Amino acid sequence: MGARHQLFVVAETRQRYRTLAVVHHQWLSGKRPLERCLHLLDIFRAKANRAPLTQELRAAREHDDSFWNGRDIFQPFPFIATCLTVGCSFDPDAAYQERVHPLPLNTTLDDIDSEEGITVIDISNLDQVKHCFAFLPRQSGVTWPDKVSKPLTAGRYLSRSIKPLDHVSQAEDDSDSASLDGKDTKDDDYTRSTLDTETHLEYNQVVDRFQSYKLMSEEALESVLSSQVTLVEHVLEHDRSNNSQSRSLGDTAMDKVTTAVLKEPIFDIGIFADVQHLPDFKTKLRSKLMSKAQDRELPSSPVAVGCMEVAFSGESHVDLSVFGTLTVQCLVEVASKILKGGNVKSLDLSHLRQLSEANVTRLLHGASRLESLYLLEMPQISLESIESITKEPASCPAEIYHTEILRRPFIQENHTYSKLMSSIKSPSIKSGRNSPVKNILWARVLEGFGRTQTFCPRKADGITIDWPRLHNGDCALEPTLQLAVFPVNNSFIHLTKLVTGLASFLTCNRKIRPLNGLNEISETGWIMAKSFALAPSTPGGPATKVSALPEILFNAASTAAKIVSTIWPLPFQDLKADEWSVVVINEHDPVSLRDLGEQYRPAMITPKTEKEGGGYRVMSMPKFLEDVMAKGQRTEENGVSDLIDYWKSKTDFVEICQREEIDELLPAFKKNLEIIRDSRPAFEVLKMCWDRE
């Protein structure tokens, strides 16, 4: 059942293409594979994702055959897996959300259950990300190379997708005109189909967007899906082209000067006087120092420290990951001097396994402008160490990329319900930049659904929900009310990301709901989790920058889908003073009997103290931000005013939930959530069955 499609992310490593991440998509056909492919291409070529992608590509190329032949490989490259998962299943601009399942890296053709073909993204060269589509024959017993079609362009794939594959002859496949220069052939097979003019125009627009992307070669696709194929020389052309650039006199001069400087006993910046005027002086110096480090020719000396300080001074992104041969003392000294300049916004320490928690903590002290910290492939830095390193708000980066933080959402994919609940109860890993918001309390009223066409009880005005009646009646057991607690304080979600992510969720959810009708609570949880993974770190930041999926939130959605998809598995936790929550009431009226349409009423709430008389403080998001700013909470460099403007521009359709409604909602919310989770025997039965598996 479904339109089954698999998506691979691959890269060349040691003259073989290897799979770095792969997912199964149950519903992907027609032009949707093309749209998901375009979204993935945008993500993988985005400059904002370059640093973590580069580090995981490096890790992949350092592994030998014994690693790739293992049977228990599960998400060794979690950032790439996150990009693939989010990119192919979620697009807030297109109001698109679907569930996908991760597959093992050693997935073979025999493991694939494909009805609508496969998509392959080649990230061997991040400056030139490639792609292709392919179909698998439906008959069994076919061996390589006859089991997979040639690499198909977007136009060719669309033609095969519309015209049943059984009717495509081998001659047609052999005449496939997909060119290796990446230009889509604009095959017009789908023009001759029964598509109406408007749909054909829409398909053409999607195909046209592939013109700027290159297609994978046939040998590369064969290497991806066959364990016997070694790449021929011309497939590796991009490596040679990157390394065979003509060398200028300036390059030669830089080589000589750098080599001479590194032999000196004392560093003297004056020795660079003859080459400082050269174009891209610092770029060439960095390149030479990195080359020396990779060849193990860079000494751990004061002269090397001085050269590196000159090479990286004034740079906003500093990558020290290649300097793994230097001593800890040299690395700490270099990084400290560079960070003191105040210009560094991104620091990459990945693969530097000689650095300890204390070393990293020292480096971050006073690095107030640092936005991103990369600690990939550094197993000596534990998750507990991350919490210690980032506990000071003044020196805590907004984004932290750590292998285990990125991997944990995928590890939980195969965990039992009991293990999920255990992880919720364990101490949360927090950073000094965590927002003061603990939960997002989601209450969705569904009207006009079911055999009885039940409607929510209203007060005398016919508009306001009568929460006490809903609380005391049997409506909680009907499909008219969806309740969920979305935790957001156990992930590295700082205040800005909370605002941008929540705005993205509301906007996307508003577009998706009318299209999909009655949706499961698990889908709402996925939309929320993926909104945070793609949320900009600054107002107006890139919409293609990917960060870690919120672990508990993402896995709670998966748990809800596995058990009973209308039941949210996380319990309600009592709110405490000075702990804030976001309440979002969503009224969905598909039949528009009261002409309400889709309504959203968010509010920031926190319990009042006994001295304040009890109840809740309730305020709008802009008021909350102003209040947080007044109390001295750290916000992004752009300031809280930009954050308020961003929220208003993205959520002009929302209304604030009033205090009276909050006072009535919270008791009903808590009790009804408990009723829904605890009163249905099916929930317990399915939970026990899943745990046994």
Side-chain angles (χ1 to χ4, degrees), residues 30-142:
K31 69 181 179 66
R32 282 189 170 179
L34 276 61
E35 294 172 334
R36 297 305 95 225
C37 181
L38 286 167
H39 195 213
L40 287 169
L41 291 170
D42 288 341
I43 286 174
F44 281 111
R45 74 171 184 176
K47 296 295 184 183
N49 298 323
R50 180 63 58 92
L53 288 174
T54 299
Q55 298 306 337
E56 291 197 340
L57 279 173
R58 173 184 167 184
R61 287 168 175 153
E62 290 177 351
H63 288 304
D64 57 19
D65 288 346
S66 62
F67 169 85
W68 298 105
N69 294 334
R71 296 300 302 175
D72 297 322
I73 306 175
F74 189 78
Q75 305 300 10
F77 314 110
F79 181 75
I80 293 172
T82 303
C83 291
L84 175 60
T85 299
V86 174
C88 75
S89 67
F90 180 67
D91 188 346
D93 293 334
Y96 180 81
Q97 151 63 28
E98 285 288 350
R99 185 186 183 187
V100 295
H101 303 272
L103 299 176
L105 295 196
N106 45 30
T107 296
T108 67
L109 290 181
D110 293 331
D111 300 324
I112 294 176
D113 178 17
S114 180
E115 185 178 59
E116 295 293 334
I118 62 174
T119 299
V120 184
I121 306 292
D122 175 10
I123 63 171
S124 301
N125 182 355
L126 293 174
D127 290 321
Q128 193 178 88
V129 179
K130 298 181 181 179
H131 74 286
C132 77
F133 303 93
F135 276 105
L136 308 183
R138 294 176 183 175
Q139 65 270 28
S140 60
V142 182

Side-chain angles (χ1 to χ4, degrees), residues 86-256:
V86 174
C88 75
S89 67
F90 180 67
D91 188 346
D93 293 334
Y96 180 81
Q97 151 63 28
E98 285 288 350
R99 185 186 183 187
V100 295
H101 303 272
L103 299 176
L105 295 196
N106 45 30
T107 296
T108 67
L109 290 181
D110 293 331
D111 300 324
I112 294 176
D113 178 17
S114 180
E115 185 178 59
E116 295 293 334
I118 62 174
T119 299
V120 184
I121 306 292
D122 175 10
I123 63 171
S124 301
N125 182 355
L126 293 174
D127 290 321
Q128 193 178 88
V129 179
K130 298 181 181 179
H131 74 286
C132 77
F133 303 93
F135 276 105
L136 308 183
R138 294 176 183 175
Q139 65 270 28
S140 60
V142 182
T143 59
W144 183 266
D146 300 318
K147 194 165 185 177
V148 180
S149 72
K150 293 181 179 180
L152 300 177
T153 63
R156 278 284 178 180
Y157 173 82
L158 203 52
S159 303
R160 301 295 192 270
S161 181
I162 294 173
K163 180 168 56 178
L165 188 62
D166 294 338
H167 298 159
V168 178
S169 67
Q170 184 62 46
E172 285 179 292
D173 245 358
D174 290 342
S175 66
D176 193 338
S177 55
S179 61
L180 297 185
D181 65 359
K183 301 300 183 183
D184 200 291
T185 60
K186 287 295 290 290
D187 186 298
D188 63 351
D189 283 357
Y190 62 92
T191 307
R192 297 191 295 271
S193 70
T194 58
L195 296 176
D196 58 74
T197 302
E198 183 177 351
T199 302
H200 178 255
L201 179 61
E202 182 181 338
Y203 280 22
N204 260 345
Q205 291 172 344
V206 175
V207 171
D208 285 343
R209 293 176 58 193
F210 282 88
Q211 296 300 309
S212 60
Y213 293 101
K214 286 195 172 184
L215 193 73
M216 287 181 65
S217 68
E218 185 173 351
E219 293 90 344
L221 178 61
E222 188 176 350
S223 178
V224 170
L225 297 175
S226 170
S227 60
Q228 308 298 323
V229 177
T230 300
L231 293 173
V232 295
E233 284 300 313
H234 78 268
V235 181
L236 303 176
E237 182 178 353
H238 70 268
D239 286 331
R240 291 206 307 269
S241 64
N242 287 344
N243 296 324
S244 62
Q245 297 175 354
S246 60
R247 294 179 57 78
S248 65
L249 293 176
D251 295 323
T252 304
M254 180 62 70
D255 287 348
K256 292 181 178 179

Side-chain angles (χ1 to χ4, degrees), residues 321-345:
S321 63
V322 298
F323 297 99
T325 58
L326 295 182
T327 63
V328 171
Q329 181 181 353
C330 273
L331 281 171
V332 172
E333 185 178 356
V334 168
S336 298
K337 289 183 176 181
I338 295 171
L339 289 170
K340 280 183 180 179
N343 295 314
V344 180
K345 294 185 177 181

Side-chain angles (χ1 to χ4, degrees), residues 339-494:
L339 289 170
K340 280 183 180 179
N343 295 314
V344 180
K345 294 185 177 181
S346 173
L347 177 64
D348 197 338
L349 302 176
S350 301
H351 293 272
L352 298 178
R353 301 192 177 189
Q354 65 268 54
L355 293 181
S356 66
E357 172 190 332
N359 298 144
V360 178
T361 303
R362 176 185 169 187
L363 291 178
L364 293 184
H365 183 69
S368 58
R369 297 191 63 189
L370 193 63
E371 295 178 359
S372 300
L373 176 65
Y374 300 96
L375 300 173
L376 298 164
E377 301 297 325
M378 295 179 70
Q380 80 279 15
I381 305 294
S382 65
L383 292 177
E384 292 73 17
S385 297
I386 293 293
E387 184 168 3
S388 176
I389 289 169
T390 61
K391 66 182 179 181
E392 294 296 331
S395 59
C396 177
E399 299 279 4
I400 299 173
Y401 292 82
H402 183 274
T403 301
E404 285 307 308
I405 293 175
L406 290 160
R407 182 182 286 132
R408 281 167 71 94
F410 298 103
I411 292 176
Q412 290 285 349
E413 176 77 18
N414 295 325
H415 277 195
T416 63
Y417 174 79
S418 300
K419 289 183 179 179
L420 174 65
M421 297 307 295
S422 176
S423 66
I424 294 169
K425 295 176 183 178
S426 63
S428 299
I429 298 175
K430 303 177 183 178
S431 77
R433 294 280 296 275
N434 271 43
S435 77
V437 177
K438 181 179 181 180
N439 294 311
I440 297 174
L441 306 179
W442 170 258
R444 184 177 188 227
V445 178
L446 298 162
E447 304 222 56
F449 288 107
R451 294 186 302 272
T452 59
Q453 293 285 297
T454 53
F455 292 94
C456 185
R458 304 275 170 173
K459 292 189 176 181
D461 60 9
I463 297 176
T464 308
I465 296 175
D466 192 334
W467 292 105
R469 283 179 58 197
L470 190 60
H471 162 57
N472 294 323
D474 295 329
C475 296
L477 301 182
E478 297 295 332
T480 56
L481 185 62
Q482 289 185 355
L483 303 174
V485 178
F486 299 142
V488 293
N489 73 326
N490 53 12
S491 303
F492 289 87
I493 300 177
H494 52 86

